Amino acid sequence: MKEENQIEINNVTHAYQTDDGPLPVLKNLNISVPINSFVAVVGPSGCGKSTLTRLIAGLMMPDEGEVRLHGEVITSPKSSVGMAFQNPVLLEWRSILKNVLLPLEIVSNNLSQKQKVDRAMSLLSLVGLEGFEDKRPSELSGGMRQRASLCRALVHRPEVLILDEPFGALDAFTREDLWQIMHELRKEEAFTTLMITHDLRESVFLADQVVVMSGRPANSQFVLDVTLGNERTLEDLYTEKSVKMLAKLRHEIQIAQGRSTKTEENA
Amino acid sequence: METVRKIAIPLSAIVIFFIFWEWLVWVNQWPNYKMASPSDLWPAFWKFKGLFLSYGWDTLWRTVAGLLIAIIVGTGFGMVMGLSRFMREALYPLLVGFNAIPKATLVPVIALMFVGADDMNTVMMAFLISFFPIAVSVSIGLSTLEPEYRDILKSLGASRFTIFVKIALPKTLPEFFGALKVAVTLAFIGTNLVEIIEPHGKGLGFLFDSGKISADYPLMFAVLIALAFLGILLYYIVVMLEKIFAGWAERAET
């Protein structure tokens, strides 16, 4: 069973040291992400979702428990991970193409310069940025920058893609464009995704499973299996099935926020 | 057209300034010892043209040398303070305190410490007065680096050195050049402090001092203009370097 999970969070407990003593953020958290699937994590603000991404990326070690990637316990950052954040953090002094090439300068590979550029260019054209490769990030719109940031996260063919609210700062329609691009990317490339988001519609439209985290200290309170097919259109979000899933998630979030105590799944 | 504009606007501003100056002196009928007018400066320049060239060179090379040392030491301090909170907390009060000391008071101290080493003393003062803004801005540039930038490379297993070279260093360049523009003019002040307070027969500051002693007021004003000219020259060299190395930070005009 274990081999089929690309990401495994096993009984992870983590606290931050503050001046007022330890502040527990995660408590006995368990999440499994099957290989090549897409899991969205939603939850109230400050419930340790970003901590989770840093743990998976190997940027932090948990106080207790373990994080496994491909069955291997994480003790340091792994180049088999790609990351994108709400802030696209593109390097302003580099062209879009050179930004996308950045991971290939770090991760050891035996690609020639031409192969690297070809790889980056194919991703850029996949997300509709062909013809913008020589522009500077400041010349692009927010949505285009975020697309470039996705290309950079995927250029070195990572097994795991970690997204920390990648579309949070975009307007609603641009966000929907990016959702569709995300589906395009998944069709073309094989990677396992864990995405943090605050947008329930986004989680349902993109993910195979949605994990609702409880309030701090957080564990996984509820897991929703998204029962939409692989071919999804925006219209699918407005069907009865989707609306029911969204309502269920909304309810669970309310419980997590401590505004409702009624719960069916967890006691 | 754009280049013509870029040169014509500042140039006409300078011409207008000189005309206004000439008019001000003329309308008030100020004698030379109160304020020399621009038309008095040319004879002064011409009379001492050899001295202007050789003293101007003294001032220029010593300022540039002090500035180069300030860049190396200032960047070094900035890096140490920017990358380590411990060092930042330890060094900041010392640097601020040192910077608060009027540098004119240090001239005799240094002159006594290294008697006769005039070039070294002058370069040292140019350095001492100009390294502070560079250290502060480099340290701010490095310490305010958003953690996501670091995480992008760190999550790929990049070393601290790689992160520094690929991200921290280029990202700090705009702040560095901003500070360098301030440091350029400060370095000139440092050089001239030594040349004027401890005259040793070199530099435009010495020429100014000679003008004062011999009551040659047009000469004194001519020295000031020469210093301003050198300052503008160095400043625009920095601007040019900034365009080359940190031009990306400039937004297109809208």
Side-chain angles (χ1 to χ4, degrees), chain B residues 34 41 50 53 64 70 82 92 116 156 161 164 170 199 207 238 241 246-247 253:
Chain B
K34 193 159 192 177
L41 301 184
L53 279 180
V64 171
Y92 241 112
L156 296 167
F161 179 75
F164 182 76
L207 196 56
V238 172
L241 292 174
E253 272 181 61

Side-chain angles (χ1 to χ4, degrees), chain A residues 84 128 198:
Chain A
H198 276 121

Side-chain angles (χ1 to χ4, degrees), chain B residues 44-237:
Chain B
F45 274 124
W46 190 248
K47 198 165 142 198
F48 299 104
K49 56 184 183 292
L51 290 182
F52 266 106
L53 279 180
S54 77
Y55 287 164
W57 171 244
D58 288 336
T59 299
L60 186 63
W61 83 256
R62 296 192 291 192
T63 303
V64 171
L67 201 57
L68 290 178
I69 299 173
I71 289 173
I72 294 166
V73 176
T75 309
F77 267 107
M79 275 166 61
V80 168
M81 292 195 300
L83 298 175
S84 149
R85 209 177 128 192
F86 180 84
M87 292 308 279
R88 184 156 65 243
E89 284 166 0
L91 290 177
Y92 241 112
L94 281 175
L95 282 187
V96 172
F98 177 78
N99 196 49
I101 297 173
K103 294 301 171 296
T105 60
L106 285 184
V107 174
V109 175
I110 289 175
L112 278 177
M113 239 184 234
F114 310 101
V115 181
D118 301 315
D119 284 340
M120 194 193 88
N121 290 347
T122 315
V123 169
M124 192 144 110
M125 186 54 67
F127 148 65
L128 287 177
I129 205 169
S130 63
F131 85 98
F132 183 75
I134 298 176
V136 170
S137 64
V138 169
S139 99
I140 289 175
L142 290 178
S143 63
T144 55
L145 187 71
E146 292 94 328
E148 286 111 324
Y149 279 97
R150 220 171 304 135
D151 287 353
I152 285 279
L153 288 196
K154 227 173 160 186
S155 66
L156 296 167
S159 66
R160 279 178 72 113
F161 179 75
T162 307
I163 296 173
F164 182 76
V165 170
K166 291 220 184 265
I167 297 201
L169 204 61
K171 202 166 163 39
T172 309
L173 277 180
E175 277 102 341
F176 169 78
F177 277 109
L180 195 53
K181 287 179 192 167
V182 179
V184 162
T185 41
L186 285 177
F188 267 109
I189 295 174
T191 311
N192 276 276
L193 273 179
V194 178
E195 289 170 356
I196 293 171
I197 299 179
E198 293 285 336
H200 47 269
K202 277 183 193 171
L204 288 174
F206 172 67
L207 196 56
F208 180 86
D209 207 52
S210 319
K212 200 173 79 183
I213 290 166
S214 55
D216 188 343
Y217 296 102
L219 174 60
M220 290 166 74
F221 276 96
V223 168
L224 297 187
I225 296 299
L227 281 173
F229 173 76
L230 289 182
I232 292 173
L233 183 75
L234 268 195
Y235 181 88
Y236 278 100
I237 289 175

Side-chain angles (χ1 to χ4, degrees), chain A residues 54 59 77-79 81 83 85 87 89-94 102-103 105-107 136 138 152 156, chain B residues 146-159 162 166-168 170-171 247-248 250-251:
Chain A
R54 292 178 60 82
L59 295 168
K78 289 272 173 289
S79 58
V81 170
M83 289 184 99
F85 309 94
N87 177 354
V89 285
L90 297 175
L91 313 184
E92 293 291 334
W93 53 95
R94 286 175 171 234
L102 181 70
E105 295 168 18
I106 312 286
V107 176
R136 297 225 182 254
S138 59
R152 181 178 59 191
H156 55 298
Chain B
E146 292 94 328
E148 286 111 324
Y149 279 97
R150 220 171 304 135
D151 287 353
I152 285 279
L153 288 196
K154 227 173 160 186
S155 66
L156 296 167
S159 66
T162 307
K166 291 220 184 265
I167 297 201
K171 202 166 163 39
W248 52 267
E250 212 171 283
R251 297 288 154 116

Side-chain angles (χ1 to χ4, degrees), chain A residues 67-140:
Chain A
V67 177
R68 284 174 185 269
L69 290 189
H70 222 122
E72 205 181 318
V73 177
I74 288 294
T75 52
S76 64
K78 289 272 173 289
S79 58
S80 56
V81 170
M83 289 184 99
F85 309 94
Q86 177 170 353
N87 177 354
V89 285
L90 297 175
L91 313 184
E92 293 291 334
W93 53 95
R94 286 175 171 234
S95 68
I96 291 298
L97 177 63
K98 290 218 167 119
N99 263 289
V100 175
L101 286 171
L102 181 70
L104 295 177
E105 295 168 18
I106 312 286
V107 176
S108 61
N109 58 66
N110 40 25
L111 297 174
S112 69
Q113 186 57 27
K114 189 186 174 303
Q115 285 170 314
K116 289 179 188 177
V117 171
D118 286 348
R119 165 73 183 147
M121 286 305 296
S122 75
L123 275 173
L124 283 171
S125 72
L126 197 60
V127 302
L129 282 182
E130 214 169 2
F132 291 91
E133 62 271 11
D134 293 326
K135 298 267 188 224
R136 297 225 182 254
S138 59
E139 296 175 278
L140 266 58

